[in-house]
Amino acid sequence: MTKAEVGNVIEFKEGLRGIVEKINENSVIVDLTIMENFRYLELEEKTVVNHKNYTIIQPSVNA
């Protein structure tokens, strides 16, 4: 399992996407506001995702 790094775009939970802001031991904190339909979905701006539950879609710009 490849763990995400800060700045990676990840996908999880049936198509939700976000940018990793912080890495914890078992999870990452993700900013969801990059999604075009963010306001329509009425989600919180940030969420926590376990390392087992996401796929890295795009590496960070610094990678």
Side-chain angles (χ1 to χ4, degrees), residues 15-59:
L16 294 179
R17 291 187 179 198
I19 297 177
V20 176
E21 290 194 339
K22 183 176 180 185
I23 302 165
N24 298 320
E25 185 175 338
N26 296 313
S27 61
V28 291
I29 298 176
V30 182
D31 180 353
L32 301 175
T33 60
I34 66 161
M35 294 188 303
E36 291 181 17
N37 60 347
F38 170 73
R39 294 209 187 281
Y40 172 77
L41 296 172
E42 297 181 359
L43 300 168
E44 295 290 328
E45 287 185 14
K46 298 181 188 202
T47 192
V48 177
V49 182
N50 188 289
H51 290 302
K52 299 176 190 174
N53 297 331
Y54 63 76
T55 304
I56 299 171
I57 301 300
Q58 180 181 338

Side-chain angles (χ1 to χ4, degrees), residues 8-9 12-14 23 29 33 48 57 62-63:
N8 288 160
V9 175
F12 60 98
K13 201 175 186 180
E14 300 176 15
I23 302 165
I29 298 176
T33 60
V48 177
I57 301 300
N62 299 329

